[in-house]
Amino acid sequence: MGELIAQALYSGLLQGGSYALIALGLALVFGTMRIINLAHGELVLLAAYIAYTMESKLGLGPVAAIPVALVVVCVASSTVYLLVSRIREDREINSLILTFGIGVILTNLILLVWSADVRSTSSSWLQEAFVLGPLYSMRSEVLFFGVSLAMMGGLWWWLSRSWYGRAVRAVSSNRDAAKLMGIDPGRTELVSFIVAGVLAAFAGVALFSYGVIQPAYGAALTVKAFIITVLAGVGSIPGVLLGAVLLGVAEALTVTLASSALQELAGMALFLLVLFVMPNGLFGAAGRRG
Amino acid sequence: MNNTFKRLALAAALAAGLASAHAEEFLVGAELPLTGSLARVGAGMQEGIMVAAEVFNRNSKHKIKIATVDDESAPAKAIAAVEKLASQGAVAITGGYGSNNIAPASDAANKLGIVYITSGGVDDSLVSSGRKNFFRINNTAGYEKAVLGLFSDMGVKKVSIIYSTKDATSDLAKSVQKALEAKGVAVAEHSFDPAITDFKPIVNKVRLQDKPDVIFMVGYENDYVGILRAARVLKPQVKAMVGVWSLATPKMAAEFPDLMPNVYGTALLPFPATFTTEDGKNFADTYKKMYNKEPDYLGQFGYVQSMLLFEAIARAADKGTVKKGGIAEELRKTDRDTLIGRVQFGANGDNLNFSHRMGQHQGKNIVIVWPKEHATGKMAYPALPW
């Protein structure tokens, strides 16, 4: 039983890392602009399909697809922002409807271009076992867990140390006051969306490397990312990692100790429990003030 | 007066006779998931339907026109699709995928009094809920027979079943479990939510706790890839990996060459496919011409169900009973050898003769290994993909 639980914790940790990478972009935009980008999962999926195309057509490994995925997904993410920025009233509500629609359009574009077939990497190196004593994982999972940590560190540094990062936080805190300080809110929000695009590009390539992709997966990715964002507490980057790992571990332990059919239920139970005990999430604003 | 009446009666009789013998065009609705989670299988079935229409129109005086509506893999949209097609004048519906979509869609067809034929749902409740105009050409029993036959040939003593909690997969897993236990085979079962992406915790339980001879997977393409990947990492000491639909296909061999070697799945034909009958050759040639690829099992099932429907429509048209329940009546009289074997429909609309075969990925080929009378090669056992 000890070996089973150790493997569950390890699998949950790695799964949590991948969840965190998927959730980061959504958390950034939600935390800084109060916009829930419901097309975020589709942006992640777009990057995954670019990795698939590079591998199947050019024989390049998924990692080599990152530069192309970055360009395409950042352009797509910027386009989403340009459309959202046209909203003049009730931006928080109307952006929900708009980004949902963009997500549907993106799903259908992916379907048209790449068909409905199930895709995944054929790189045996990425799929080979990485053995750590009694613990097993795929190489790709460990690789992208490291990438996830690095991206989180980079994002934290950018938000706390760079001019644009601080501008993003200033706009999020008080848009009008930020204007008075010489910050262009529109440009700052665009930068947020571009950074979210960068995160989505890495997440998509990672997803293609250790998982399976299909055009309809985008919505499920968005839901998972949204749960983690709320679990983390709006605007908290460490909260995203903790929330994602908690979710991953809870799911893996449920599979091991109870039934795999209850995995999603366990995730939702954790989500509700955290919100009941800590209504602002694990690292929500109220908690930070305290 | 008397002569006038006679002439009018003669003219009416001639007109009626001519009408029944006259070539007609019929609109048939195709309700399919072309987007959403079942888009892949829906698109495969659609190809078969279109090939059937092409072949039928080439060889029949009556013509079939297909109108397709995407049900987006959603039950409510499936109902709306059937109603829309009926309002456009469709005389019958072919298609449907996923028992949870087919059930409400076929209910809608039943209310509208039109025939609904499918190969996309194996849930037994589809044929036990009193739908009068419902027909299907495959069922759980046919899949179960093939899996049990293979396990019997292997002489397995212990099986771990990993299955999706969806209706069709649960039904099949439970049926196989009961049948195996009745034969004295030990069975451990692990259901999984369709949203699961990491199968390592399940496969690890199988490896450390169950220690079976065989892992039996009941899911869909994405599930098989996930389970096989987890197994490749954890390497459980089993003798074979066995699955059901959508697994022993040329597409899976081409897309996942490292995961598929030695894996078993249901397959009616070996790959490369060899068609010996006239019908089979017509299907394969037309399919290749229309889609520029080798036909797969989804196309094959879509073709058979649609061809049987079109033939029933033609017979009903000749009798002038298309709008008087004649299509269902003609389908009930069906007794025909097809690409999937002999098809006859029982009173509940289920195919009485359906039995699947088991194939194994061997190199780039798919070899039929069960039943013996249809085998095209010997099974590699014990043998694993890793």
Side-chain angles (χ1 to χ4, degrees):
Chain A
M1 183 53 88
E3 204 178 331
L4 270 176
I5 291 176
Q7 179 64 45
L9 291 172
Y10 181 58
S11 291
L13 176 74
L14 295 178
Q15 186 74 11
S18 71
Y19 286 167
L21 194 54
I22 292 165
L24 270 178
L26 187 108
L28 174 70
V29 171
F30 185 38
T32 56
M33 295 163 61
R34 299 296 186 272
I35 287 175
I36 303 164
N37 179 9
L38 292 181
H40 181 73
E42 280 76 13
L43 294 176
V44 172
L45 208 54
L46 182 62
Y49 274 98
I50 288 165
Y52 163 72
T53 306
M54 299 284 281
E55 186 182 270
S56 59
K57 302 287 178 204
L58 304 173
L60 297 170
V63 177
I66 288 174
V68 181
L70 278 174
V71 173
V72 176
V73 177
C74 286
V75 168
S77 189
S78 306
T79 309
V80 174
Y81 172 71
L82 290 176
L83 292 170
V84 168
S85 68
R86 304 296 297 167
I87 297 171
R88 291 285 170 262
E89 284 178 15
D90 299 327
R91 192 166 77 154
E92 288 178 21
I93 296 294
N94 288 331
S95 64
L96 268 180
I97 300 161
L98 176 66
T99 54
F100 176 77
I102 294 169
V104 171
I105 291 168
L106 275 174
T107 298
N108 284 284
L109 280 176
I110 289 170
L111 189 63
L112 274 175
V113 175
W114 285 285
S115 84
D117 291 337
V118 172
R119 313 284 190 195
S120 188
T121 184
S122 57
S123 160
S124 12
W125 189 87
L126 287 168
Q127 292 178 62
E128 279 306 318
F130 177 82
V131 184
L132 203 68
L135 306 175
Y136 296 79
S137 62
M138 278 192 286
R139 281 176 181 160
S140 52
E141 288 175 295
V142 179
L143 175 69
F144 282 101
F145 183 75
V147 170
S148 184
L149 291 181
M151 298 302 287
M152 251 171 283
L155 185 61
W156 176 82
W157 180 89
W158 182 74
L159 282 172
S160 58
R161 297 280 183 272
S162 75
W163 191 91
Y164 260 115
R166 281 181 289 189
V168 163
R169 287 163 55 212
V171 170
S172 152
S173 180
N174 190 320
R175 194 180 167 90
D176 292 329
K179 263 189 202 173
L180 294 173
M181 296 297 114
I183 295 169
D184 179 346
R187 187 180 294 176
T188 311
E189 286 171 351
L190 175 63
V191 169
S192 270
F193 264 86
I194 291 173
V195 173
V198 169
L199 295 165
F202 275 94
V205 173
L207 182 68
F208 175 68
S209 304
Y210 54 67
V212 178
I213 54 169
Q214 260 188 322
Y217 275 7
L221 294 173
T222 304
V223 169
K224 192 72 88 179
F226 183 65
I227 287 173
I228 292 165
T229 302
V230 177
L231 198 62
V234 176
S236 170
I237 300 306
V240 168
L241 179 63
L242 184 64
V245 167
L246 270 178
L247 191 65
V249 168
E251 288 180 353
L253 281 176
T254 306
V255 173
T256 302
L257 300 174
S259 164
S260 33
L262 301 174
Q263 179 184 296
E264 291 295 304
L265 182 67
M268 287 311 292
L270 172 76
F271 177 63
L272 294 175
L273 181 70
V274 169
L275 286 190
F276 186 73
V277 178
M278 305 165 82
N280 292 304
L282 293 167
F283 289 82
R288 284 208 303 273
R289 274 199 297 273
Chain B
M1 187 68 185
N2 203 18
N3 278 344
T4 309
F5 179 75
K6 276 180 184 168
R7 276 198 292 272
L8 278 172
L10 185 63
L14 273 171
L18 281 173
S20 64
H22 191 257
E24 291 180 74
E25 182 178 85
F26 296 97
L27 183 72
V28 171
E31 169 255 313
L32 290 157
L34 296 175
T35 55
S37 58
L38 296 169
R40 147 91 185 109
V41 281
M45 188 187 277
Q46 164 83 343
E47 289 170 0
I49 292 169
M50 298 314 286
V51 172
E54 174 73 20
V55 172
F56 179 84
N57 287 343
R58 219 164 40 217
N59 301 316
S60 170
K61 68 177 180 190
H62 299 296
K63 302 295 170 209
I64 294 293
K65 193 177 163 194
I66 303 288
T68 303
V69 175
D70 175 15
D71 68 23
E72 301 174 36
S73 311
K77 300 274 175 67
I79 297 171
V82 167
E83 286 171 348
K84 184 179 177 187
L85 289 164
S87 73
Q88 288 173 351
V91 295
I93 305 288
T94 178
Y97 222 103
S99 300
N100 59 328
N101 297 324
I102 291 170
S106 56
D107 276 341
N110 204 42
K111 278 180 195 161
L112 294 161
I114 58 175
V115 160
Y116 188 103
I117 191 165
T118 187
S119 57
V122 292
D123 185 349
D124 286 338
S125 69
L126 290 172
V127 287
S128 60
S129 303
R131 295 176 179 90
K132 287 177 187 167
N133 295 326
F134 180 81
F135 298 87
R136 73 171 176 192
I137 58 170
N138 57 343
N139 49 43
T140 301
Y143 288 93
E144 187 186 327
K145 209 182 290 178
V147 172
L148 294 175
L150 181 78
F151 286 167
S152 173
D153 282 7
M154 287 173 168
V156 297
K157 301 280 178 238
K158 195 169 185 187
V159 175
S160 283
I161 304 179
I162 304 177
Y163 67 96
S164 168
T165 51
K166 284 188 174 178
D167 289 346
T169 42
S170 298
D171 274 359
L172 180 56
K174 297 282 180 198
S175 300
V176 170
Q177 181 192 1
K178 272 186 197 165
L180 285 173
E181 283 174 346
K183 288 181 177 181
V185 176
V187 181
E189 52 146 20
H190 305 273
S191 59
F192 63 84
D193 189 284
I196 191 173
T197 52
D198 184 9
F199 285 89
K200 284 199 294 302
I202 300 180
V203 174
N204 204 32
K205 276 170 92 173
V206 170
R207 179 177 75 105
L208 296 173
Q209 287 184 341
D210 302 355
K211 297 180 180 164
D213 296 324
V214 168
I215 293 178
F216 177 44
M217 308 172 280
V218 194
Y220 299 93
E221 288 165 333
N222 51 330
D223 305 320
Y224 298 136
V225 173
I227 296 167
L228 287 165
R229 273 219 176 125
R232 182 189 164 118
V233 168
L234 290 158
K235 298 186 173 52
Q237 296 293 303
V238 294
K239 293 175 183 166
M241 300 293 291
V242 180
V244 210
W245 46 78
S246 310
L247 183 55
T249 63
K251 189 174 277 291
M252 290 297 266
E255 293 282 335
F256 306 101
D258 53 328
L259 292 177
M260 292 304 138
N262 299 317
V263 170
Y264 299 83
T266 48
L268 283 164
L269 291 166
F271 180 78
T274 43
F275 292 93
T276 49
T277 63
E278 191 62 27
D279 191 22
K281 284 175 188 162
N282 262 336
F283 162 69
D285 293 347
T286 312
Y287 188 99
K288 282 179 203 165
K289 208 171 170 182
M290 286 175 74
Y291 298 105
N292 196 26
K293 61 181 179 182
E294 289 293 325
D296 71 1
Y297 83 102
L298 289 163
Q300 204 176 333
F301 275 105
Y303 174 84
V304 171
Q305 76 192 38
S306 304
M307 189 55 87
L308 293 176
L309 173 65
F310 301 160
E311 288 170 353
I313 292 171
R315 291 198 301 272
D318 287 343
K319 292 176 184 170
T321 60
V322 167
K323 290 182 180 170
K324 298 170 197 161
I327 301 172
E329 200 178 309
E330 291 303 323
L331 274 170
R332 281 188 202 103
K333 289 180 192 164
T334 296
D335 182 359
R336 183 178 176 321
D337 275 323
T338 70
L339 304 184
I340 65 155
R342 186 178 175 194
V343 176
Q344 285 175 293
F345 295 107
N348 61 359
D350 215 358
N351 179 6
L352 300 171
N353 308 307
F354 180 65
S355 177
H356 226 305
R357 296 168 194 167
M358 295 302 294
Q360 185 181 29
H361 287 271
Q362 293 182 3
K364 287 180 180 172
N365 297 341
I366 292 163
V367 175
I368 300 296
V369 294
W370 187 94
K372 281 193 178 92
E373 61 269 28
H374 294 293
T376 58
K378 284 186 179 175
M379 72 163 90
Y381 180 81
L384 296 165
W386 56 86

